[in-house]
Amino acid sequence: MDLGLIVESISVLVHGVFLTLSLTLLSLVISFFLSVPLSLLRASLNRTLSASVLAYTYVFRGTPLLVQLFLVYYGLSQLSIVRQSLLWPVLREPFWCALITFSLNSTAYTTEVFKAGILAVPRGVVEAAKALGLSRFMLIRLIIFPLAFRTVLPSYANEVIGLVKASSLASTVTLLEITGLARRMVSETFAPYEVFLAAGLLYLLLNFTVSIVFRFLEMHLARSSIRVSKNGTAYPVTSWLSCPWKAMSKRTHTNPSTHSL
Amino acid sequence: MLNFALQFFNGLQITVVLALASGVLGSLLGLLVAIVKLSRLRVAALFGQTYTTIVRGLPELLVILVIYFGGTAAITALTGRYVEINAFAAGVAALMIVFGAYCAEIFRGAIISIPRGQAEAARSLGLKPWQIWTFVILPQMMRVALPAYGNLWISLVKDTSLVSVIGLTDIMRVAFVGAGSMRAPLPFYLMASALYLALTSLSLASFRVLERRIQIPGH
């Protein structure tokens, strides 16, 4: 083990952090905005709407991300409609293909996470808000979503960490993010231990930062809800505060609400 | 496409065997780590905690690459000539390490959920420690761990596709080679998706059945 090489690898791999972060953060933002309306549809009482969203989440959560990425990157270019369309300059670039795939994949997971939160909002609260005459939009914006988001914050943190890790797959479509740079460096130096150790350290640092951010977000939200109301049952997330790492679990494939014991 | 049916079938076999092998080994590893983490041995518990914390913070692809290239480098250094390690063995080892880390957390939580009195009652009946584990704690913790374990298994099935990156001819690799040689990526990757979806659906259904079977009526 060569300590100097580890330091050198870190200084090279740091250049990939920007790409890893931009892939992660952009797909995070896109999937957040897509999954809010989708999760409302998924949680709705209308069977057809709920089932059609379920079909989307089921397929995207039931197939490997790598297959989805290759379908978008290699598969779409086979269709001449795509090649002749205005979107072709975008779909030709590996970055946009990776971003589209990660966003769609993450939307599927996040939709199910949010849906579990929406279903966990107490009925009485919704009825009380309706009785006060809140419009449908205000009901969602002021009552349902803030409560749901608070409940699912730990699962959402897992989803974000999963996304950081999933961004490593971008290296398979020639993108030089952390893993891509590491693979190139290993083939040049043939020193796998040092280079991959450096890459691992960077990923651990990123994921640790994510869990710290979510810990603070949770504390902040828990505190603000104490100030607003004295309702002690509104924040069932405090157990997670003690250790952020313990909360990390695999992205759940099935509906989390039916599986909590 | 039809010429590749046999290859897809072989790929499917490799994917299933890979998932089963790393799943079984990973479960054993996870159980061991969970027991170690709950033991009174501080050093061992710390080792277990370090293992689960680090592995769960790393991308699965990176773990696979480390095992494959690291293993090759190690054997090359030992024997003095370039030896590439078997992709299947590297895949099983890497997925076992990943699966074991998540399993350990699930099992640890499940073991904690079993009331202390159960083990104490078993001890007062004169059961030996291994008997307490196999006849009292394990059967009860299975019921608690099963839903999360099912999710984890499905993740494992999907993660096997990453082993194609180091050249194992699983479903994903067959699709990749076929797409390249026939210059028709779309049908090949759609076929791969369908096969994976079938595998995950089958797993989901089996775990549902299993959960219902071991459920205690009225609970």
Side-chain angles (χ1 to χ4, degrees), chain A residues 58 61-64 66-67 70-71 74-75 78 109 165 168-169 183 192-193 196 200 207 245 248 250 252-254 261, chain B residues 56-61 66 70 74 102 144 151-152 154 158-159 161-162 165 172 184-187 189 193 196 200-201 204:
Chain A
Y58 187 80
R61 292 183 312 153
T63 52
L66 190 65
V67 179
F70 279 18
L71 256 180
Y74 296 111
Q78 196 193 331
Y109 284 93
K165 298 202 285 178
S168 68
L169 292 194
R183 288 172 77 176
Y193 299 116
F196 285 137
N207 283 334
W245 292 104
M248 282 181 3
K250 276 273 180 175
T252 45
H253 174 86
T254 46
L261 282 170
Chain B
R56 289 184 309 149
L58 292 177
E60 290 79 9
L61 182 61
V66 169
Y102 287 94
V144 182
N151 284 336
L152 194 60
I154 288 167
K158 290 187 285 173
D159 284 345
S161 68
L162 298 179
V165 174
M172 189 64 207
L186 209 52
Y189 290 128
S193 315
Y196 279 113
T200 50
S201 302
L204 198 62

Tab-separated table of all heavy atoms in Angstrom, chain A residues 58 61-64 66-67 70-71 74-75 78 109 165 168-169 183 192-193 196 200 207 245 248 250 252-254 261, chain B residues 56-61 66 70 74 102 144 151-152 154 158-159 161-162 165 172 184-187 189 193 196 200-201 204:
chain	number	residue	atom	x	y	z
A	58	TYR	N	-43.584	0.042	-10.550
A	58	TYR	CA	-43.270	-1.376	-10.441
A	58	TYR	C	-42.200	-1.779	-11.446
A	58	TYR	O	-41.236	-2.460	-11.109
A	58	TYR	CB	-44.542	-2.209	-10.665
A	58	TYR	CG	-44.346	-3.676	-10.402
A	58	TYR	CD1	-44.368	-4.166	-9.107
A	58	TYR	CD2	-44.116	-4.568	-11.442
A	58	TYR	CE1	-44.175	-5.502	-8.852
A	58	TYR	CE2	-43.921	-5.903	-11.195
A	58	TYR	CZ	-43.954	-6.369	-9.902
A	58	TYR	OH	-43.753	-7.699	-9.642
A	61	ARG	N	-38.817	-0.154	-10.532
A	61	ARG	CA	-38.180	-0.682	-9.334
A	61	ARG	C	-37.892	-2.169	-9.463
A	61	ARG	O	-37.168	-2.730	-8.654
A	61	ARG	CB	-39.059	-0.431	-8.109
A	61	ARG	CG	-39.155	1.057	-7.778
A	61	ARG	CD	-39.962	1.279	-6.540
A	61	ARG	NE	-41.203	0.524	-6.594
A	61	ARG	CZ	-41.860	0.106	-5.553
A	61	ARG	NH1	-41.401	0.364	-4.353
A	61	ARG	NH2	-42.970	-0.570	-5.690
A	62	GLY	N	-38.471	-2.803	-10.493
A	62	GLY	CA	-38.269	-4.247	-10.652
A	62	GLY	C	-37.164	-4.610	-11.626
A	62	GLY	O	-36.843	-5.783	-11.780
A	63	THR	N	-36.596	-3.616	-12.304
A	63	THR	CA	-35.507	-3.916	-13.241
A	63	THR	C	-34.244	-3.196	-12.783
A	63	THR	O	-34.320	-2.151	-12.141
A	63	THR	CB	-35.859	-3.467	-14.666
A	63	THR	OG1	-36.263	-2.106	-14.626
A	63	THR	CG2	-36.974	-4.302	-15.261
A	64	PRO	N	-33.071	-3.755	-13.107
A	64	PRO	CA	-31.830	-3.103	-12.663
A	64	PRO	C	-31.630	-1.745	-13.348
A	64	PRO	O	-32.006	-1.567	-14.511
A	64	PRO	CB	-30.733	-4.076	-13.105
A	64	PRO	CG	-31.413	-5.353	-13.402
A	64	PRO	CD	-32.796	-5.021	-13.805
A	66	LEU	N	-28.928	-0.556	-14.354
A	66	LEU	CA	-27.979	-0.691	-15.465
A	66	LEU	C	-28.714	-0.974	-16.779
A	66	LEU	O	-28.389	-0.404	-17.822
A	66	LEU	CB	-26.987	-1.818	-15.158
A	66	LEU	CG	-25.798	-1.953	-16.090
A	66	LEU	CD1	-24.909	-0.745	-15.984
A	66	LEU	CD2	-25.000	-3.204	-15.778
A	67	VAL	N	-29.741	-1.834	-16.710
A	67	VAL	CA	-30.511	-2.154	-17.915
A	67	VAL	C	-31.241	-0.906	-18.409
A	67	VAL	O	-31.272	-0.618	-19.608
A	67	VAL	CB	-31.518	-3.290	-17.621
A	67	VAL	CG1	-32.326	-3.606	-18.858
A	67	VAL	CG2	-30.809	-4.529	-17.159
A	70	PHE	N	-28.774	1.403	-20.127
A	70	PHE	CA	-28.374	0.934	-21.457
A	70	PHE	C	-29.526	1.052	-22.448
A	70	PHE	O	-29.311	1.301	-23.629
A	70	PHE	CB	-27.871	-0.520	-21.380
A	70	PHE	CG	-26.453	-0.634	-20.907
A	70	PHE	CD1	-25.846	0.418	-20.236
A	70	PHE	CD2	-25.709	-1.772	-21.150
A	70	PHE	CE1	-24.535	0.320	-19.804
A	70	PHE	CE2	-24.390	-1.877	-20.730
A	70	PHE	CZ	-23.811	-0.829	-20.046
A	71	LEU	N	-30.752	0.855	-21.947
A	71	LEU	CA	-31.920	1.024	-22.826
A	71	LEU	C	-31.986	2.452	-23.351
A	71	LEU	O	-32.219	2.683	-24.540
A	71	LEU	CB	-33.198	0.712	-22.055
A	71	LEU	CG	-33.881	-0.608	-22.312
A	71	LEU	CD1	-35.119	-0.739	-21.451
A	71	LEU	CD2	-34.250	-0.773	-23.779
A	74	TYR	N	-28.135	3.178	-25.338
A	74	TYR	CA	-27.923	2.439	-26.581
A	74	TYR	C	-29.240	2.191	-27.321
A	74	TYR	O	-29.286	2.235	-28.544
A	74	TYR	CB	-27.258	1.084	-26.306
A	74	TYR	CG	-25.872	1.174	-25.733
A	74	TYR	CD1	-25.627	0.793	-24.416
A	74	TYR	CD2	-24.809	1.627	-26.497
A	74	TYR	CE1	-24.351	0.864	-23.880
A	74	TYR	CE2	-23.537	1.706	-25.968
A	74	TYR	CZ	-23.312	1.318	-24.667
A	74	TYR	OH	-22.052	1.396	-24.141
A	75	GLY	N	-30.292	1.884	-26.541
A	75	GLY	CA	-31.542	1.428	-27.152
A	75	GLY	C	-32.259	2.497	-27.957
A	75	GLY	O	-32.671	2.259	-29.093
A	78	GLN	N	-31.502	3.433	-31.612
A	78	GLN	CA	-31.859	2.524	-32.702
A	78	GLN	C	-33.086	3.020	-33.459
A	78	GLN	O	-33.247	2.729	-34.646
A	78	GLN	CB	-32.128	1.138	-32.114
A	78	GLN	CG	-32.138	0.037	-33.150
A	78	GLN	CD	-32.713	-1.239	-32.576
A	78	GLN	OE1	-32.609	-1.495	-31.379
A	78	GLN	NE2	-33.324	-2.041	-33.422
A	109	TYR	N	-38.896	5.327	-7.104
A	109	TYR	CA	-38.694	5.026	-5.681
A	109	TYR	C	-39.300	6.113	-4.805
A	109	TYR	O	-39.979	5.835	-3.821
A	109	TYR	CB	-37.202	4.888	-5.369
A	109	TYR	CG	-36.603	3.583	-5.825
A	109	TYR	CD1	-35.998	3.470	-7.059
A	109	TYR	CD2	-36.663	2.467	-5.010
A	109	TYR	CE1	-35.452	2.276	-7.477
A	109	TYR	CE2	-36.126	1.266	-5.422
A	109	TYR	CZ	-35.522	1.179	-6.654
A	109	TYR	OH	-34.998	-0.009	-7.064
A	165	LYS	N	-24.950	6.538	-4.663
A	165	LYS	CA	-24.289	5.288	-5.022
A	165	LYS	C	-24.635	4.882	-6.448
A	165	LYS	O	-23.791	4.372	-7.180
A	165	LYS	CB	-24.710	4.181	-4.045
A	165	LYS	CG	-24.294	4.494	-2.616
A	165	LYS	CD	-24.220	3.272	-1.776
A	165	LYS	CE	-25.577	2.754	-1.392
A	165	LYS	NZ	-25.473	1.525	-0.608
A	168	SER	N	-22.666	5.973	-9.631
A	168	SER	CA	-21.432	5.303	-10.066
A	168	SER	C	-21.654	4.532	-11.368
A	168	SER	O	-20.712	4.254	-12.095
A	168	SER	CB	-20.950	4.350	-8.981
A	168	SER	OG	-21.833	3.277	-8.831
A	169	LEU	N	-22.923	4.185	-11.673
A	169	LEU	CA	-23.199	3.445	-12.903
A	169	LEU	C	-22.953	4.295	-14.143
A	169	LEU	O	-22.827	3.774	-15.248
A	169	LEU	CB	-24.646	2.951	-12.911
A	169	LEU	CG	-25.021	1.884	-11.909
A	169	LEU	CD1	-26.350	1.282	-12.253
A	169	LEU	CD2	-23.978	0.805	-11.869
A	183	ARG	N	-11.654	3.882	-12.493
A	183	ARG	CA	-11.423	2.747	-13.396
A	183	ARG	C	-10.329	3.071	-14.397
A	183	ARG	O	-9.492	2.227	-14.717
A	183	ARG	CB	-12.724	2.408	-14.131
A	183	ARG	CG	-13.734	1.755	-13.232
A	183	ARG	CD	-15.049	1.618	-13.909
A	183	ARG	NE	-15.053	0.515	-14.873
A	183	ARG	CZ	-16.141	0.138	-15.548
A	183	ARG	NH1	-17.264	0.766	-15.361
A	183	ARG	NH2	-16.088	-0.857	-16.381
A	192	PRO	N	-4.913	-1.225	-7.960
A	192	PRO	CA	-6.335	-1.137	-7.620
A	192	PRO	C	-6.615	-0.741	-6.175
A	192	PRO	O	-7.573	-0.027	-5.911
A	192	PRO	CB	-6.862	-2.542	-7.919
A	192	PRO	CG	-5.665	-3.419	-7.892
A	192	PRO	CD	-4.525	-2.583	-8.348
A	193	TYR	N	-5.771	-1.213	-5.251
A	193	TYR	CA	-6.080	-0.941	-3.837
A	193	TYR	C	-6.092	0.551	-3.541
A	193	TYR	O	-7.041	1.080	-2.978
A	193	TYR	CB	-5.066	-1.635	-2.924
A	193	TYR	CG	-5.064	-3.125	-3.073
A	193	TYR	CD1	-3.955	-3.792	-3.552
A	193	TYR	CD2	-6.201	-3.869	-2.756
A	193	TYR	CE1	-3.960	-5.167	-3.705
A	193	TYR	CE2	-6.218	-5.236	-2.906
A	193	TYR	CZ	-5.093	-5.882	-3.384
A	193	TYR	OH	-5.100	-7.231	-3.541
A	196	PHE	N	-8.969	2.569	-5.627
A	196	PHE	CA	-10.336	2.296	-5.187
A	196	PHE	C	-10.545	2.715	-3.733
A	196	PHE	O	-11.649	3.096	-3.349
A	196	PHE	CB	-10.690	0.821	-5.391
A	196	PHE	CG	-10.940	0.462	-6.823
A	196	PHE	CD1	-10.432	-0.696	-7.372
A	196	PHE	CD2	-11.698	1.295	-7.637
A	196	PHE	CE1	-10.670	-1.027	-8.699
A	196	PHE	CE2	-11.942	0.980	-8.960
A	196	PHE	CZ	-11.421	-0.187	-9.493
A	200	GLY	N	-13.438	5.103	-2.628
A	200	GLY	CA	-14.322	4.728	-1.529
A	200	GLY	C	-14.395	5.811	-0.472
A	200	GLY	O	-15.475	6.117	0.040
A	207	ASN	N	-21.645	10.445	1.282
A	207	ASN	CA	-22.816	9.870	1.937
A	207	ASN	C	-22.932	10.307	3.387
A	207	ASN	O	-24.037	10.479	3.906
A	207	ASN	CB	-22.766	8.348	1.848
A	207	ASN	CG	-23.158	7.871	0.476
A	207	ASN	OD1	-23.896	8.554	-0.224
A	207	ASN	ND2	-22.651	6.726	0.077
A	245	TRP	N	-26.271	6.590	10.342
A	245	TRP	CA	-25.843	5.449	9.521
A	245	TRP	C	-26.771	4.266	9.666
A	245	TRP	O	-26.942	3.488	8.756
A	245	TRP	CB	-24.432	5.032	9.905
A	245	TRP	CG	-23.454	6.057	9.533
A	245	TRP	CD1	-22.837	6.937	10.365
A	245	TRP	CD2	-22.998	6.375	8.220
A	245	TRP	NE1	-22.022	7.755	9.645
A	245	TRP	CE2	-22.095	7.432	8.339
A	245	TRP	CE3	-23.267	5.850	6.957
A	245	TRP	CZ2	-21.470	7.987	7.240
A	245	TRP	CZ3	-22.636	6.399	5.879
A	245	TRP	CH2	-21.749	7.456	6.015
A	248	MET	N	-29.574	3.835	7.189
A	248	MET	CA	-29.349	3.527	5.785
A	248	MET	C	-29.803	2.110	5.487
A	248	MET	O	-29.322	1.160	6.059
A	248	MET	CB	-27.866	3.657	5.453
A	248	MET	CG	-27.493	5.093	5.309
A	248	MET	SD	-25.801	5.425	4.904
A	248	MET	CE	-25.078	3.904	4.712
A	250	LYS	N	-31.341	-0.613	2.204
A	250	LYS	CA	-31.492	-0.745	0.762
A	250	LYS	C	-32.785	-0.075	0.333
A	250	LYS	O	-33.772	-0.114	1.047
A	250	LYS	CB	-31.534	-2.231	0.410
A	250	LYS	CG	-30.159	-2.819	0.270
A	250	LYS	CD	-29.677	-2.627	-1.135
A	250	LYS	CE	-28.308	-3.211	-1.296
A	250	LYS	NZ	-27.827	-3.154	-2.652
A	252	THR	N	-36.160	0.226	-0.802
A	252	THR	CA	-37.138	-0.842	-0.719
A	252	THR	C	-37.854	-1.003	-2.036
A	252	THR	O	-38.209	-0.045	-2.697
A	252	THR	CB	-38.168	-0.546	0.381
A	252	THR	OG1	-38.564	0.815	0.246
A	252	THR	CG2	-37.575	-0.800	1.729
A	253	HIS	N	-38.025	-2.254	-2.389
A	253	HIS	CA	-38.688	-2.536	-3.662
A	253	HIS	C	-40.191	-2.472	-3.501
A	253	HIS	O	-40.910	-1.970	-4.341
A	253	HIS	CB	-38.282	-3.923	-4.153
A	253	HIS	CG	-39.023	-4.340	-5.372
A	253	HIS	ND1	-38.604	-4.002	-6.626
A	253	HIS	CD2	-40.177	-5.033	-5.536
A	253	HIS	CE1	-39.461	-4.482	-7.510
A	253	HIS	NE2	-40.415	-5.112	-6.882
A	254	THR	N	-40.663	-3.015	-2.402
A	254	THR	CA	-42.110	-3.099	-2.231
A	254	THR	C	-42.612	-1.901	-1.455
A	254	THR	O	-41.856	-1.106	-0.953
A	254	THR	CB	-42.481	-4.382	-1.481
A	254	THR	OG1	-41.584	-4.481	-0.383
A	254	THR	CG2	-42.336	-5.579	-2.366
A	261	LEU	N	-43.503	-3.266	10.350
A	261	LEU	CA	-44.088	-4.136	11.384
A	261	LEU	C	-44.226	-3.411	12.687
A	261	LEU	O	-43.391	-2.593	13.021
A	261	LEU	CB	-43.222	-5.365	11.595
A	261	LEU	CG	-43.390	-6.442	10.533
A	261	LEU	CD1	-42.338	-7.492	10.690
A	261	LEU	CD2	-44.759	-7.060	10.625
B	56	ARG	N	-22.147	-0.117	3.506
B	56	ARG	CA	-23.422	0.467	3.103
B	56	ARG	C	-23.269	1.876	2.558
B	56	ARG	O	-24.190	2.425	1.955
B	56	ARG	CB	-24.412	0.432	4.271
B	56	ARG	CG	-24.864	-0.998	4.548
B	56	ARG	CD	-25.896	-1.051	5.619
B	56	ARG	NE	-25.448	-0.310	6.782
B	56	ARG	CZ	-26.257	0.314	7.600
B	56	ARG	NH1	-27.537	0.296	7.407
B	56	ARG	NH2	-25.775	0.972	8.628
B	57	GLY	N	-22.083	2.470	2.748
B	57	GLY	CA	-21.843	3.795	2.197
B	57	GLY	C	-21.141	3.771	0.849
B	57	GLY	O	-20.907	4.818	0.255
B	58	LEU	N	-20.808	2.569	0.369
B	58	LEU	CA	-20.077	2.468	-0.902
B	58	LEU	C	-21.007	2.001	-2.021
B	58	LEU	O	-21.901	1.198	-1.766
B	58	LEU	CB	-18.939	1.449	-0.772
B	58	LEU	CG	-17.769	1.792	0.133
B	58	LEU	CD1	-16.807	0.618	0.169
B	58	LEU	CD2	-17.061	3.031	-0.359
B	59	PRO	N	-20.771	2.469	-3.250
B	59	PRO	CA	-21.552	1.945	-4.377
B	59	PRO	C	-21.223	0.476	-4.604
B	59	PRO	O	-20.065	0.068	-4.463
B	59	PRO	CB	-21.065	2.777	-5.567
B	59	PRO	CG	-20.378	3.951	-4.997
B	59	PRO	CD	-19.839	3.525	-3.677
B	60	GLU	N	-22.266	-0.311	-4.951
B	60	GLU	CA	-22.075	-1.752	-5.173
B	60	GLU	C	-21.054	-1.990	-6.288
B	60	GLU	O	-20.234	-2.902	-6.208
B	60	GLU	CB	-23.407	-2.410	-5.548
B	60	GLU	CG	-24.419	-2.491	-4.419
B	60	GLU	CD	-25.149	-1.189	-4.179
B	60	GLU	OE1	-25.004	-0.249	-5.003
B	60	GLU	OE2	-25.860	-1.088	-3.170
B	61	LEU	N	-21.126	-1.133	-7.316
B	61	LEU	CA	-20.211	-1.298	-8.453
B	61	LEU	C	-18.766	-1.190	-8.006
B	61	LEU	O	-17.900	-1.951	-8.461
B	61	LEU	CB	-20.528	-0.227	-9.512
B	61	LEU	CG	-19.706	-0.275	-10.790
B	61	LEU	CD1	-19.920	-1.587	-11.519
B	61	LEU	CD2	-20.058	0.887	-11.704
B	66	VAL	N	-13.431	-3.481	-6.840
B	66	VAL	CA	-12.342	-3.685	-5.879
B	66	VAL	C	-12.011	-5.160	-5.766
B	66	VAL	O	-10.848	-5.560	-5.834
B	66	VAL	CB	-12.712	-3.118	-4.483
B	66	VAL	CG1	-11.707	-3.568	-3.442
B	66	VAL	CG2	-12.776	-1.608	-4.515
B	70	GLY	N	-8.710	-5.995	-7.352
B	70	GLY	CA	-7.877	-6.228	-6.173
B	70	GLY	C	-7.484	-7.684	-6.051
B	70	GLY	O	-6.326	-8.005	-5.777
B	74	ALA	N	-3.799	-9.255	-6.199
B	74	ALA	CA	-3.271	-10.043	-5.087
B	74	ALA	C	-2.722	-11.375	-5.572
B	74	ALA	O	-1.612	-11.775	-5.203
B	74	ALA	CB	-4.372	-10.264	-4.043
B	102	TYR	N	-26.071	-5.331	4.722
B	102	TYR	CA	-27.472	-4.917	4.919
B	102	TYR	C	-28.214	-5.953	5.767
B	102	TYR	O	-29.039	-5.606	6.606
B	102	TYR	CB	-28.169	-4.745	3.576
B	102	TYR	CG	-27.725	-3.501	2.848
B	102	TYR	CD1	-26.707	-3.536	1.915
B	102	TYR	CD2	-28.334	-2.276	3.107
B	102	TYR	CE1	-26.298	-2.393	1.250
B	102	TYR	CE2	-27.935	-1.136	2.460
B	102	TYR	CZ	-26.922	-1.195	1.530
B	102	TYR	OH	-26.513	-0.070	0.890
B	144	VAL	N	-39.959	-11.436	11.958
B	144	VAL	CA	-39.780	-9.981	11.988
B	144	VAL	C	-38.933	-9.521	10.807
B	144	VAL	O	-39.188	-8.484	10.199
B	144	VAL	CB	-39.113	-9.566	13.322
B	144	VAL	CG1	-38.954	-8.060	13.390
B	144	VAL	CG2	-39.917	-10.074	14.493
B	151	ASN	N	-37.173	-7.472	0.506
B	151	ASN	CA	-36.743	-6.293	-0.251
B	151	ASN	C	-35.281	-6.384	-0.619
B	151	ASN	O	-34.871	-6.049	-1.718
B	151	ASN	CB	-36.936	-5.031	0.588
B	151	ASN	CG	-38.384	-4.620	0.647
B	151	ASN	OD1	-39.159	-4.972	-0.237
B	151	ASN	ND2	-38.745	-3.888	1.675
B	152	LEU	N	-34.499	-6.831	0.346
B	152	LEU	CA	-33.052	-6.914	0.152
B	152	LEU	C	-32.709	-7.955	-0.916
B	152	LEU	O	-31.830	-7.744	-1.748
B	152	LEU	CB	-32.398	-7.283	1.485
B	152	LEU	CG	-30.900	-7.086	1.557
B	152	LEU	CD1	-30.558	-5.645	1.306
B	152	LEU	CD2	-30.388	-7.534	2.905
B	154	ILE	N	-34.551	-8.786	-3.424
B	154	ILE	CA	-34.885	-8.225	-4.739
B	154	ILE	C	-33.787	-7.258	-5.189
B	154	ILE	O	-33.394	-7.251	-6.358
B	154	ILE	CB	-36.275	-7.565	-4.692
B	154	ILE	CG1	-37.334	-8.670	-4.614
B	154	ILE	CG2	-36.512	-6.683	-5.897
B	154	ILE	CD1	-38.696	-8.196	-4.250
B	158	LYS	N	-31.275	-7.537	-8.610
B	158	LYS	CA	-30.984	-6.450	-9.547
B	158	LYS	C	-29.490	-6.121	-9.562
B	158	LYS	O	-28.939	-5.797	-10.614
B	158	LYS	CB	-31.800	-5.214	-9.160
B	158	LYS	CG	-33.279	-5.411	-9.423
B	158	LYS	CD	-34.047	-4.144	-9.204
B	158	LYS	CE	-34.207	-3.856	-7.735
B	158	LYS	NZ	-34.809	-2.549	-7.493
B	159	ASP	N	-28.851	-6.225	-8.404
B	159	ASP	CA	-27.411	-5.905	-8.340
B	159	ASP	C	-26.550	-6.913	-9.094
B	159	ASP	O	-25.426	-6.595	-9.468
B	159	ASP	CB	-26.940	-5.830	-6.880
B	159	ASP	CG	-27.389	-4.547	-6.208
B	159	ASP	OD1	-27.794	-3.635	-6.950
B	159	ASP	OD2	-27.326	-4.453	-4.976
B	161	SER	N	-26.779	-7.696	-11.977
B	161	SER	CA	-26.515	-7.178	-13.328
B	161	SER	C	-25.185	-6.421	-13.373
B	161	SER	O	-24.566	-6.312	-14.427
B	161	SER	CB	-27.651	-6.261	-13.764
B	161	SER	OG	-27.657	-5.091	-12.990
B	162	LEU	N	-24.732	-5.906	-12.228
B	162	LEU	CA	-23.485	-5.134	-12.210
B	162	LEU	C	-22.267	-6.018	-12.456
B	162	LEU	O	-21.219	-5.532	-12.866
B	162	LEU	CB	-23.323	-4.419	-10.858
B	162	LEU	CG	-24.405	-3.409	-10.511
B	162	LEU	CD1	-24.142	-2.810	-9.148
B	162	LEU	CD2	-24.453	-2.319	-11.553
B	165	VAL	N	-20.296	-6.103	-15.711
B	165	VAL	CA	-19.243	-5.111	-15.983
B	165	VAL	C	-17.856	-5.766	-15.953
B	165	VAL	O	-16.965	-5.380	-16.698
B	165	VAL	CB	-19.334	-3.945	-14.959
B	165	VAL	CG1	-18.170	-2.986	-15.112
B	165	VAL	CG2	-20.628	-3.197	-15.146
B	172	MET	N	-27.487	-9.668	-18.393
B	172	MET	CA	-27.092	-8.348	-18.866
B	172	MET	C	-25.984	-8.430	-19.907
B	172	MET	O	-26.016	-7.727	-20.921
B	172	MET	CB	-26.612	-7.550	-17.641
B	172	MET	CG	-26.365	-6.106	-17.889
B	172	MET	SD	-27.876	-5.288	-18.345
B	172	MET	CE	-27.222	-3.959	-19.311
B	184	ALA	N	-28.768	-4.187	-32.809
B	184	ALA	CA	-30.163	-3.901	-32.467
B	184	ALA	C	-30.300	-3.885	-30.947
B	184	ALA	O	-30.732	-4.865	-30.356
B	184	ALA	CB	-31.084	-4.951	-33.069
B	185	PRO	N	-29.866	-2.805	-30.300
B	185	PRO	CA	-29.861	-2.805	-28.834
B	185	PRO	C	-31.247	-2.877	-28.209
B	185	PRO	O	-31.419	-3.533	-27.185
B	185	PRO	CB	-29.172	-1.485	-28.469
B	185	PRO	CG	-29.149	-0.674	-29.704
B	185	PRO	CD	-29.266	-1.582	-30.868
B	186	LEU	N	-32.231	-2.253	-28.839
B	186	LEU	CA	-33.541	-2.125	-28.190
B	186	LEU	C	-34.168	-3.465	-27.805
B	186	LEU	O	-34.485	-3.683	-26.634
B	186	LEU	CB	-34.474	-1.297	-29.084
B	186	LEU	CG	-35.554	-0.503	-28.366
B	186	LEU	CD1	-34.985	0.363	-27.266
B	186	LEU	CD2	-36.325	0.343	-29.364
B	187	PRO	N	-34.348	-4.408	-28.767
B	187	PRO	CA	-34.988	-5.672	-28.367
B	187	PRO	C	-34.189	-6.449	-27.338
B	187	PRO	O	-34.769	-7.075	-26.446
B	187	PRO	CB	-35.085	-6.458	-29.682
B	187	PRO	CG	-34.177	-5.787	-30.614
B	187	PRO	CD	-34.111	-4.358	-30.219
B	189	TYR	N	-32.131	-5.287	-24.916
B	189	TYR	CA	-32.251	-4.746	-23.553
B	189	TYR	C	-33.668	-4.863	-23.029
B	189	TYR	O	-33.877	-5.019	-21.827
B	189	TYR	CB	-31.764	-3.295	-23.513
B	189	TYR	CG	-30.269	-3.214	-23.696
B	189	TYR	CD1	-29.696	-2.384	-24.648
B	189	TYR	CD2	-29.428	-4.006	-22.923
B	189	TYR	CE1	-28.327	-2.334	-24.824
B	189	TYR	CE2	-28.067	-3.983	-23.099
B	189	TYR	CZ	-27.516	-3.138	-24.046
B	189	TYR	OH	-26.165	-3.108	-24.223
B	193	SER	N	-34.701	-6.640	-19.624
B	193	SER	CA	-35.595	-6.038	-18.628
B	193	SER	C	-36.708	-7.001	-18.269
B	193	SER	O	-37.043	-7.175	-17.096
B	193	SER	CB	-36.233	-4.760	-19.164
B	193	SER	OG	-35.309	-3.958	-19.781
B	196	TYR	N	-35.446	-9.759	-15.985
B	196	TYR	CA	-35.234	-9.281	-14.612
B	196	TYR	C	-36.562	-9.015	-13.917
B	196	TYR	O	-36.741	-9.335	-12.740
B	196	TYR	CB	-34.380	-8.013	-14.611
B	196	TYR	CG	-32.908	-8.288	-14.747
B	196	TYR	CD1	-32.214	-7.902	-15.882
B	196	TYR	CD2	-32.201	-8.943	-13.741
B	196	TYR	CE1	-30.863	-8.155	-16.015
B	196	TYR	CE2	-30.859	-9.199	-13.861
B	196	TYR	CZ	-30.187	-8.807	-15.008
B	196	TYR	OH	-28.864	-9.065	-15.124
B	200	THR	N	-37.778	-10.586	-10.405
B	200	THR	CA	-38.148	-9.820	-9.209
B	200	THR	C	-39.611	-10.051	-8.854
B	200	THR	O	-39.964	-10.133	-7.682
B	200	THR	CB	-37.881	-8.322	-9.397
B	200	THR	OG1	-38.441	-7.878	-10.615
B	200	THR	CG2	-36.406	-8.011	-9.398
B	201	SER	N	-40.480	-10.185	-9.873
B	201	SER	CA	-41.896	-10.431	-9.582
B	201	SER	C	-42.077	-11.775	-8.892
B	201	SER	O	-42.842	-11.907	-7.934
B	201	SER	CB	-42.716	-10.411	-10.867
B	201	SER	OG	-42.573	-9.192	-11.517
B	204	LEU	N	-40.951	-11.455	-5.372
B	204	LEU	CA	-41.935	-10.709	-4.585
B	204	LEU	C	-43.101	-11.612	-4.198
B	204	LEU	O	-43.517	-11.663	-3.035
B	204	LEU	CB	-42.432	-9.523	-5.423
B	204	LEU	CG	-43.121	-8.395	-4.692
B	204	LEU	CD1	-42.165	-7.767	-3.708
B	204	LEU	CD2	-43.605	-7.358	-5.691
